[in-house]
PDB file of all heavy atoms in Angstrom:
ATOM      1  N   PHE A  13      -0.507  13.041  -0.677  1.00 98.00           N
ATOM      2  CA  PHE A  13      -0.346  13.287  -2.115  1.00 98.00           C
ATOM      3  C   PHE A  13       0.463  12.145  -2.714  1.00 98.00           C
ATOM      4  O   PHE A  13       1.208  11.478  -2.003  1.00 98.00           O
ATOM      5  CB  PHE A  13       0.370  14.623  -2.356  1.00 98.00           C
ATOM      6  CG  PHE A  13      -0.365  15.788  -1.763  1.00 98.00           C
ATOM      7  CD1 PHE A  13      -0.095  16.211  -0.471  1.00 98.00           C
ATOM      8  CD2 PHE A  13      -1.363  16.417  -2.489  1.00 98.00           C
ATOM      9  CE1 PHE A  13      -0.806  17.259   0.093  1.00 98.00           C
ATOM     10  CE2 PHE A  13      -2.074  17.472  -1.927  1.00 98.00           C
ATOM     11  CZ  PHE A  13      -1.792  17.892  -0.632  1.00 98.00           C
ATOM     12  N   GLY A  19       8.812  23.842  -4.815  1.00 98.00           N
ATOM     13  CA  GLY A  19       9.274  24.898  -5.725  1.00 98.00           C
ATOM     14  C   GLY A  19       8.423  24.943  -6.985  1.00 98.00           C
ATOM     15  O   GLY A  19       8.389  23.990  -7.752  1.00 98.00           O
ATOM     16  N   GLY A  20       7.751  26.076  -7.167  1.00 98.00           N
ATOM     17  CA  GLY A  20       6.900  26.266  -8.359  1.00 98.00           C
ATOM     18  C   GLY A  20       7.595  27.149  -9.370  1.00 98.00           C
ATOM     19  O   GLY A  20       7.034  28.094  -9.895  1.00 98.00           O
ATOM     20  N   GLY A  21       8.869  26.844  -9.648  1.00 98.00           N
ATOM     21  CA  GLY A  21       9.572  27.502 -10.761  1.00 98.00           C
ATOM     22  C   GLY A  21       9.196  26.776 -12.040  1.00 98.00           C
ATOM     23  O   GLY A  21       8.301  25.909 -12.054  1.00 98.00           O
ATOM     24  N   LEU A  25       6.816  23.394 -12.124  1.00 98.00           N
ATOM     25  CA  LEU A  25       5.489  23.513 -12.748  1.00 98.00           C
ATOM     26  C   LEU A  25       5.360  22.581 -13.955  1.00 98.00           C
ATOM     27  O   LEU A  25       4.301  21.994 -14.181  1.00 98.00           O
ATOM     28  CB  LEU A  25       5.221  24.967 -13.173  1.00 98.00           C
ATOM     29  CG  LEU A  25       4.950  25.943 -12.013  1.00 98.00           C
ATOM     30  CD1 LEU A  25       4.837  27.372 -12.531  1.00 98.00           C
ATOM     31  CD2 LEU A  25       3.678  25.549 -11.250  1.00 98.00           C
ATOM     32  N   VAL A  38      -0.868  15.679  -7.310  1.00 98.00           N
ATOM     33  CA  VAL A  38       0.406  16.363  -7.080  1.00 98.00           C
ATOM     34  C   VAL A  38       0.168  17.673  -6.326  1.00 98.00           C
ATOM     35  O   VAL A  38      -0.802  18.379  -6.587  1.00 98.00           O
ATOM     36  CB  VAL A  38       1.148  16.614  -8.422  1.00 98.00           C
ATOM     37  CG1 VAL A  38       0.310  17.361  -9.430  1.00 98.00           C
ATOM     38  CG2 VAL A  38       2.473  17.348  -8.210  1.00 98.00           C
ATOM     39  N   LEU A  39       1.090  17.955  -5.403  1.00 98.00           N
ATOM     40  CA  LEU A  39       1.059  19.243  -4.694  1.00 98.00           C
ATOM     41  C   LEU A  39       2.329  20.017  -5.038  1.00 98.00           C
ATOM     42  O   LEU A  39       3.430  19.479  -4.919  1.00 98.00           O
ATOM     43  CB  LEU A  39       1.017  19.014  -3.173  1.00 98.00           C
ATOM     44  CG  LEU A  39       1.288  20.258  -2.316  1.00 98.00           C
ATOM     45  CD1 LEU A  39       0.147  21.275  -2.430  1.00 98.00           C
ATOM     46  CD2 LEU A  39       1.496  19.886  -0.847  1.00 98.00           C
ATOM     47  N   VAL A  40       2.163  21.273  -5.463  1.00 98.00           N
ATOM     48  CA  VAL A  40       3.317  22.163  -5.652  1.00 98.00           C
ATOM     49  C   VAL A  40       3.322  23.158  -4.504  1.00 98.00           C
ATOM     50  O   VAL A  40       2.304  23.801  -4.225  1.00 98.00           O
ATOM     51  CB  VAL A  40       3.238  22.913  -7.009  1.00 98.00           C
ATOM     52  CG1 VAL A  40       4.368  23.926  -7.115  1.00 98.00           C
ATOM     53  CG2 VAL A  40       3.274  21.940  -8.168  1.00 98.00           C
ATOM     54  N   ILE A  41       4.483  23.266  -3.854  1.00 98.00           N
ATOM     55  CA  ILE A  41       4.641  24.244  -2.763  1.00 98.00           C
ATOM     56  C   ILE A  41       5.527  25.373  -3.273  1.00 98.00           C
ATOM     57  O   ILE A  41       6.673  25.120  -3.660  1.00 98.00           O
ATOM     58  CB  ILE A  41       5.339  23.579  -1.551  1.00 98.00           C
ATOM     59  CG1 ILE A  41       4.579  22.329  -1.114  1.00 98.00           C
ATOM     60  CG2 ILE A  41       5.486  24.538  -0.407  1.00 98.00           C
ATOM     61  CD1 ILE A  41       5.425  21.438  -0.200  1.00 98.00           C
ATOM     62  N   GLU A  42       5.012  26.578  -3.292  1.00 98.00           N
ATOM     63  CA  GLU A  42       5.814  27.714  -3.785  1.00 98.00           C
ATOM     64  C   GLU A  42       5.811  28.819  -2.735  1.00 98.00           C
ATOM     65  O   GLU A  42       4.756  29.260  -2.301  1.00 98.00           O
ATOM     66  CB  GLU A  42       5.259  28.224  -5.129  1.00 98.00           C
ATOM     67  CG  GLU A  42       5.862  29.532  -5.632  1.00 98.00           C
ATOM     68  CD  GLU A  42       7.391  29.549  -5.669  1.00 98.00           C
ATOM     69  OE1 GLU A  42       7.988  28.607  -6.217  1.00 98.00           O
ATOM     70  OE2 GLU A  42       7.986  30.515  -5.134  1.00 98.00           O
ATOM     71  N   LYS A  43       6.996  29.275  -2.380  1.00 97.00           N
ATOM     72  CA  LYS A  43       7.075  30.221  -1.260  1.00 97.00           C
ATOM     73  C   LYS A  43       6.789  31.671  -1.670  1.00 97.00           C
ATOM     74  O   LYS A  43       6.288  32.448  -0.877  1.00 97.00           O
ATOM     75  CB  LYS A  43       8.413  30.113  -0.532  1.00 97.00           C
ATOM     76  CG  LYS A  43       9.633  30.565  -1.303  1.00 97.00           C
ATOM     77  CD  LYS A  43      10.854  30.455  -0.415  1.00 97.00           C
ATOM     78  CE  LYS A  43      12.152  30.658  -1.155  1.00 97.00           C
ATOM     79  NZ  LYS A  43      12.307  31.878  -1.931  1.00 97.00           N
ATOM     80  N   ASP A  44       7.103  32.037  -2.916  1.00 96.00           N
ATOM     81  CA  ASP A  44       6.923  33.445  -3.313  1.00 96.00           C
ATOM     82  C   ASP A  44       5.502  33.691  -3.812  1.00 96.00           C
ATOM     83  O   ASP A  44       5.055  33.069  -4.764  1.00 96.00           O
ATOM     84  CB  ASP A  44       7.932  33.819  -4.402  1.00 96.00           C
ATOM     85  CG  ASP A  44       9.340  33.924  -3.840  1.00 96.00           C
ATOM     86  OD1 ASP A  44       9.471  34.034  -2.593  1.00 96.00           O
ATOM     87  OD2 ASP A  44      10.302  33.882  -4.629  1.00 96.00           O
ATOM     88  N   LYS A  45       4.846  34.656  -3.161  1.00 94.00           N
ATOM     89  CA  LYS A  45       3.453  34.933  -3.522  1.00 94.00           C
ATOM     90  C   LYS A  45       3.373  35.653  -4.867  1.00 94.00           C
ATOM     91  O   LYS A  45       2.531  35.366  -5.708  1.00 94.00           O
ATOM     92  CB  LYS A  45       2.837  35.816  -2.423  1.00 94.00           C
ATOM     93  CG  LYS A  45       1.351  36.047  -2.590  1.00 94.00           C
ATOM     94  CD  LYS A  45       0.792  36.648  -1.317  1.00 94.00           C
ATOM     95  CE  LYS A  45      -0.608  37.198  -1.407  1.00 94.00           C
ATOM     96  NZ  LYS A  45      -1.568  36.527  -2.188  1.00 94.00           N
ATOM     97  N   LYS A 125       5.719  30.707 -17.067  1.00 98.00           N
ATOM     98  CA  LYS A 125       5.259  30.027 -15.851  1.00 98.00           C
ATOM     99  C   LYS A 125       3.739  30.141 -15.718  1.00 98.00           C
ATOM    100  O   LYS A 125       3.061  29.191 -15.345  1.00 98.00           O
ATOM    101  CB  LYS A 125       5.943  30.639 -14.621  1.00 98.00           C
ATOM    102  CG  LYS A 125       7.336  30.056 -14.394  1.00 98.00           C
ATOM    103  CD  LYS A 125       8.126  30.782 -13.338  1.00 98.00           C
ATOM    104  CE  LYS A 125       7.447  30.866 -12.012  1.00 98.00           C
ATOM    105  NZ  LYS A 125       8.235  31.638 -11.035  1.00 98.00           N
ATOM    106  N   LEU A 129       1.040  27.163 -15.364  1.00 98.00           N
ATOM    107  CA  LEU A 129       0.182  27.127 -14.167  1.00 98.00           C
ATOM    108  C   LEU A 129      -1.299  27.142 -14.571  1.00 98.00           C
ATOM    109  O   LEU A 129      -2.113  26.385 -14.027  1.00 98.00           O
ATOM    110  CB  LEU A 129       0.532  28.326 -13.276  1.00 98.00           C
ATOM    111  CG  LEU A 129      -0.156  28.424 -11.931  1.00 98.00           C
ATOM    112  CD1 LEU A 129       0.087  27.184 -11.081  1.00 98.00           C
ATOM    113  CD2 LEU A 129       0.316  29.659 -11.165  1.00 98.00           C
ATOM    114  N   VAL A 133      -3.931  24.181 -13.392  1.00 98.00           N
ATOM    115  CA  VAL A 133      -5.086  24.328 -12.485  1.00 98.00           C
ATOM    116  C   VAL A 133      -6.388  23.815 -13.117  1.00 98.00           C
ATOM    117  O   VAL A 133      -7.391  23.660 -12.429  1.00 98.00           O
ATOM    118  CB  VAL A 133      -5.293  25.791 -11.985  1.00 98.00           C
ATOM    119  CG1 VAL A 133      -4.134  26.241 -11.128  1.00 98.00           C
ATOM    120  CG2 VAL A 133      -5.499  26.757 -13.145  1.00 98.00           C
ATOM    121  N   SER A 137      -6.478  17.041 -10.081  1.00 98.00           N
ATOM    122  CA  SER A 137      -5.393  16.373  -9.360  1.00 98.00           C
ATOM    123  C   SER A 137      -4.231  17.332  -9.041  1.00 98.00           C
ATOM    124  O   SER A 137      -3.278  16.933  -8.377  1.00 98.00           O
ATOM    125  CB  SER A 137      -4.870  15.201 -10.192  1.00 98.00           C
ATOM    126  OG  SER A 137      -4.592  15.633 -11.508  1.00 98.00           O
ATOM    127  N   PHE A 138      -4.313  18.573  -9.539  1.00 98.00           N
ATOM    128  CA  PHE A 138      -3.236  19.550  -9.289  1.00 98.00           C
ATOM    129  C   PHE A 138      -3.578  20.387  -8.063  1.00 98.00           C
ATOM    130  O   PHE A 138      -4.664  20.954  -7.960  1.00 98.00           O
ATOM    131  CB  PHE A 138      -3.077  20.452 -10.525  1.00 98.00           C
ATOM    132  CG  PHE A 138      -2.056  21.543 -10.351  1.00 98.00           C
ATOM    133  CD1 PHE A 138      -0.694  21.276 -10.460  1.00 98.00           C
ATOM    134  CD2 PHE A 138      -2.442  22.863 -10.073  1.00 98.00           C
ATOM    135  CE1 PHE A 138       0.250  22.282 -10.295  1.00 98.00           C
ATOM    136  CE2 PHE A 138      -1.505  23.869  -9.913  1.00 98.00           C
ATOM    137  CZ  PHE A 138      -0.161  23.580 -10.027  1.00 98.00           C
ATOM    138  N   HIS A 139      -2.633  20.490  -7.143  1.00 98.00           N
ATOM    139  CA  HIS A 139      -2.822  21.299  -5.925  1.00 98.00           C
ATOM    140  C   HIS A 139      -1.643  22.261  -5.821  1.00 98.00           C
ATOM    141  O   HIS A 139      -0.500  21.856  -6.035  1.00 98.00           O
ATOM    142  CB  HIS A 139      -2.891  20.409  -4.689  1.00 98.00           C
ATOM    143  CG  HIS A 139      -3.996  19.395  -4.798  1.00 98.00           C
ATOM    144  ND1 HIS A 139      -5.216  19.550  -4.197  1.00 98.00           N
ATOM    145  CD2 HIS A 139      -4.068  18.230  -5.488  1.00 98.00           C
ATOM    146  CE1 HIS A 139      -5.989  18.518  -4.506  1.00 98.00           C
ATOM    147  NE2 HIS A 139      -5.310  17.708  -5.288  1.00 98.00           N
ATOM    148  N   TYR A 140      -1.958  23.496  -5.491  1.00 98.00           N
ATOM    149  CA  TYR A 140      -0.925  24.539  -5.506  1.00 98.00           C
ATOM    150  C   TYR A 140      -1.029  25.331  -4.211  1.00 98.00           C
ATOM    151  O   TYR A 140      -2.048  26.000  -3.971  1.00 98.00           O
ATOM    152  CB  TYR A 140      -1.188  25.430  -6.728  1.00 98.00           C
ATOM    153  CG  TYR A 140      -0.146  26.482  -7.007  1.00 98.00           C
ATOM    154  CD1 TYR A 140       1.187  26.156  -7.177  1.00 98.00           C
ATOM    155  CD2 TYR A 140      -0.513  27.831  -7.140  1.00 98.00           C
ATOM    156  CE1 TYR A 140       2.136  27.124  -7.462  1.00 98.00           C
ATOM    157  CE2 TYR A 140       0.420  28.808  -7.436  1.00 98.00           C
ATOM    158  CZ  TYR A 140       1.743  28.446  -7.586  1.00 98.00           C
ATOM    159  OH  TYR A 140       2.674  29.409  -7.885  1.00 98.00           O
ATOM    160  N   TRP A 141      -0.023  25.222  -3.365  1.00 98.00           N
ATOM    161  CA  TRP A 141      -0.016  25.995  -2.126  1.00 98.00           C
ATOM    162  C   TRP A 141       0.944  27.161  -2.318  1.00 98.00           C
ATOM    163  O   TRP A 141       2.155  26.962  -2.452  1.00 98.00           O
ATOM    164  CB  TRP A 141       0.453  25.139  -0.956  1.00 98.00           C
ATOM    165  CG  TRP A 141      -0.556  24.102  -0.536  1.00 98.00           C
ATOM    166  CD1 TRP A 141      -1.786  23.843  -1.101  1.00 98.00           C
ATOM    167  CD2 TRP A 141      -0.424  23.180   0.553  1.00 98.00           C
ATOM    168  NE1 TRP A 141      -2.407  22.820  -0.443  1.00 98.00           N
ATOM    169  CE2 TRP A 141      -1.593  22.387   0.583  1.00 98.00           C
ATOM    170  CE3 TRP A 141       0.572  22.935   1.499  1.00 98.00           C
ATOM    171  CZ2 TRP A 141      -1.786  21.385   1.516  1.00 98.00           C
ATOM    172  CZ3 TRP A 141       0.388  21.929   2.434  1.00 98.00           C
ATOM    173  CH2 TRP A 141      -0.792  21.167   2.452  1.00 98.00           C
ATOM    174  N   ASN A 142       0.365  28.368  -2.328  1.00 98.00           N
ATOM    175  CA  ASN A 142       1.184  29.551  -2.579  1.00 98.00           C
ATOM    176  C   ASN A 142       0.539  30.763  -1.901  1.00 98.00           C
ATOM    177  O   ASN A 142      -0.619  31.060  -2.187  1.00 98.00           O
ATOM    178  CB  ASN A 142       1.272  29.789  -4.102  1.00 98.00           C
ATOM    179  CG  ASN A 142       1.996  31.061  -4.441  1.00 98.00           C
ATOM    180  OD1 ASN A 142       1.486  31.902  -5.159  1.00 98.00           O
ATOM    181  ND2 ASN A 142       3.180  31.210  -3.921  1.00 98.00           N
ATOM    182  N   PRO A 143       1.229  31.418  -0.985  1.00 97.00           N
ATOM    183  CA  PRO A 143       2.591  31.146  -0.553  1.00 97.00           C
ATOM    184  C   PRO A 143       2.631  30.053   0.502  1.00 97.00           C
ATOM    185  O   PRO A 143       1.815  30.037   1.412  1.00 97.00           O
ATOM    186  CB  PRO A 143       3.039  32.482   0.038  1.00 97.00           C
ATOM    187  CG  PRO A 143       1.782  33.133   0.519  1.00 97.00           C
ATOM    188  CD  PRO A 143       0.678  32.634  -0.353  1.00 97.00           C
ATOM    189  N   ALA A 144       3.593  29.177   0.365  1.00 98.00           N
ATOM    190  CA  ALA A 144       3.837  28.125   1.358  1.00 98.00           C
ATOM    191  C   ALA A 144       5.284  27.683   1.192  1.00 98.00           C
ATOM    192  O   ALA A 144       5.777  27.628   0.064  1.00 98.00           O
ATOM    193  CB  ALA A 144       2.908  26.945   1.108  1.00 98.00           C
ATOM    194  N   LYS A 166       2.383  27.348   5.898  1.00 96.00           N
ATOM    195  CA  LYS A 166       1.404  27.960   4.998  1.00 96.00           C
ATOM    196  C   LYS A 166       0.516  28.878   5.815  1.00 96.00           C
ATOM    197  O   LYS A 166      -0.077  28.437   6.799  1.00 96.00           O
ATOM    198  CB  LYS A 166       0.572  26.838   4.355  1.00 96.00           C
ATOM    199  CG  LYS A 166      -0.391  27.283   3.299  1.00 96.00           C
ATOM    200  CD  LYS A 166      -1.158  26.048   2.829  1.00 96.00           C
ATOM    201  CE  LYS A 166      -2.383  26.422   2.061  1.00 96.00           C
ATOM    202  NZ  LYS A 166      -3.381  25.359   2.070  1.00 96.00           N
TER     203      LYS A 166
END
Side-chain angles (χ1 to χ4, degrees):
F13 301 91
L25 288 174
V38 55
L39 167 69
V40 174
I41 305 164
E42 171 52 50
K43 68 177 170 54
D44 288 343
K45 187 167 168 38
K125 277 171 56 183
L129 185 57
V133 295
S137 50
F138 177 78
H139 302 260
Y140 186 56
W141 288 2
N142 175 234
K166 186 182 164 203

